Amino acid sequence: MPPPCRTRLLARGAPLSAAHFSSHTSRRPRVLSQVRFSFYEPPILVQLRPASGPVAGSQLVSVVAIGLENHGGTMDARCMFGDTVVPAHTKTRSAIVCSTPRLRGAQAATTAIGVRLSINAADFTDEELVYEYHDPLYNQTGE
């Protein structure tokens, strides 16, 4: 079994950097592999544009955020609408653009869900913004 991997804790606001990881066996100090790790502050979500759209999905939404400048590319960027993860269409220094997924099982004319971001295709922001799906076919009686 390989040895556990540990990184040092960076204080909030500390300069961020990249590090190299070397794996050693306990019997021999030879390097088995090297992997580059990048450390970064998670992006701060600012705004969704637009903040609402149809339950059918396919609405392009810009997730405006602070901290997108230097990390990841479009291939690594993801948006999470509720529990559904979708790839980014584009990524700029200030926004990631994703297409909304179809909302299934809407129980009201308007359904609000949380939207989170990932800039590394794995870790999503803890904070979220609210996106509202609108169902034009749903009336106030729910019929």
Side-chain angles (χ1 to χ4, degrees):
M1 183 159 134
C5 176
R6 294 198 176 121
T7 61
R8 66 184 173 90
L9 181 64
L10 292 176
R12 190 164 199 75
L16 304 177
S17 62
H20 288 281
F21 168 76
S22 296
S23 175
H24 302 274
T25 63
S26 58
R27 290 182 233 145
R28 292 185 177 163
R30 69 183 174 99
V31 174
L32 297 177
S33 64
Q34 286 194 346
V35 179
R36 182 178 168 92
F37 287 90
S38 295
F39 301 93
Y40 57 87
E41 290 283 336
I44 298 168
L45 304 183
V46 175
Q47 180 183 31
L48 293 177
R49 282 190 253 165
S52 64
V55 294
S58 299
Q59 171 78 45
L60 290 180
V61 174
S62 292
V63 184
V64 180
I66 298 168
L68 300 177
E69 304 87 23
N70 301 315
H71 306 291
T74 301
M75 290 185 60
D76 295 327
R78 305 280 185 276
C79 297
M80 182 184 290
F81 289 82
D83 294 331
T84 305
V85 176
V86 295
H89 286 273
T90 58
K91 177 184 174 288
T92 67
R93 295 175 52 88
S94 61
I96 292 177
V97 178
C98 294
S99 182
T100 59
R102 178 179 183 81
L103 180 68
R104 301 197 186 279
Q107 300 295 315
T110 302
T111 303
I113 62 161
V115 178
R116 299 174 6 183
L117 271 188
S118 173
I119 57 175
N120 66 1
D123 301 307
F124 285 85
T125 56
D126 290 330
E127 66 179 326
E128 61 185 27
L129 297 172
V130 176
Y131 182 82
E132 290 188 348
Y133 280 98
H134 297 290
D135 188 349
L137 302 178
Y138 189 94
N139 64 31
Q140 295 301 332
T141 62
E143 300 174 347

